[in-house]
């Protein structure tokens, strides 16, 4: 809605900054999820099936972030074509959507896995029900995060 009133130069700068932000988002999300998973590994210490599940979640998060970053880095050749500094290059928009859908799907699965796993891990732990419930809620708060929608019009 507001894009009609923006100058062309501002739109190009915004595209460049958005491109850069995608790298920080993907790498940041991977590090945050892995730190949460490492915390859960400490809780699941001796339960082998849970530790393997957590390691798989960390591997999927890391691999999806690497694939996403590599895919985004190769959308346009040369990359300056993406934000309009060069007009002689070419862009592969299908690669952009494929990599984004792959990354989003893995992010959704790992988000919900890391949100549900604390409650499952604490199910048979010997502690008061009230304390167990509050710890499970605190560890599972990540499921309540709703990322901002970039297509939302104000």
């Amino acid at each position: 809605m507001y894009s009609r009133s923006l100058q062309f130069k501002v739109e190009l700068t915004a595209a460049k900054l958005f491109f850069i932000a995608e790298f920080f988002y993907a790498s940041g999300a991977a590090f945050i999820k892995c730190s949460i998973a490492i915390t859960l590994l400490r809780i699941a210490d001796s339960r082998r099936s849970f530790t393997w599940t957590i390691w798989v979640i960390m591997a999927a998060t890391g691999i999806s972030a690497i694939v996403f970053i590599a895919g985004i880095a190769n959308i346009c050749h040369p990359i300056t074509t993406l934000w309009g500094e060069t007009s002689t290059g070419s862009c592969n928009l299908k690669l952009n959507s494929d990599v984004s859908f792959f990354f989003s799907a893995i992010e959704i699965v790992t988000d919900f896995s890391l949100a549900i796993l604390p409650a499952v891990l604490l199910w048979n732990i010997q502690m008061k029900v009230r304390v167990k419930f509050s710890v499970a809620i605190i560890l599972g708060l990540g499921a309540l995060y709703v990322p901002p929608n970039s297509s939302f019009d104000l």
Side-chain angles (χ1 to χ4, degrees), residues 2 18 29 47 76 86-87 105 108 127 133:
Y2 293 112
F18 182 77
R47 293 180 269 183
C76 296
T86 312
S87 60
I108 290 168
M127 65 172 62
F133 181 73

Side-chain angles (χ1 to χ4, degrees), residues 19-99:
F19 172 76
I20 294 167
E22 286 180 313
F23 288 104
F24 287 109
Y25 171 73
S27 59
F31 282 117
I32 290 169
K33 284 186 187 186
C34 286
S35 69
I36 293 168
I38 289 169
T39 302
L40 292 177
L41 272 176
R42 294 181 67 194
I43 296 171
D45 187 35
S46 62
R47 293 180 269 183
R48 207 169 173 88
S49 61
F50 288 115
T51 56
W52 278 104
T53 302
I54 295 168
W55 279 107
V56 167
I57 290 170
M58 286 195 302
T61 299
I63 290 168
S64 69
I66 291 168
V67 168
F68 180 75
I69 289 170
I72 293 299
N74 290 301
I75 290 175
C76 296
H77 294 284
I79 197 63
T80 54
T81 307
L82 184 63
W83 52 83
E85 286 181 16
T86 312
S87 60
T88 58
S90 64
C91 293
N92 184 353
L93 298 179
K94 183 166 177 14
L95 174 66
N96 183 24
S97 63
D98 289 347
V99 168

Side-chain angles (χ1 to χ4, degrees), residues 5 8 50 54 92 112 119 121:
S5 63
F8 185 68
F50 288 115
I54 295 168
N92 184 353
F112 281 111
L121 282 170

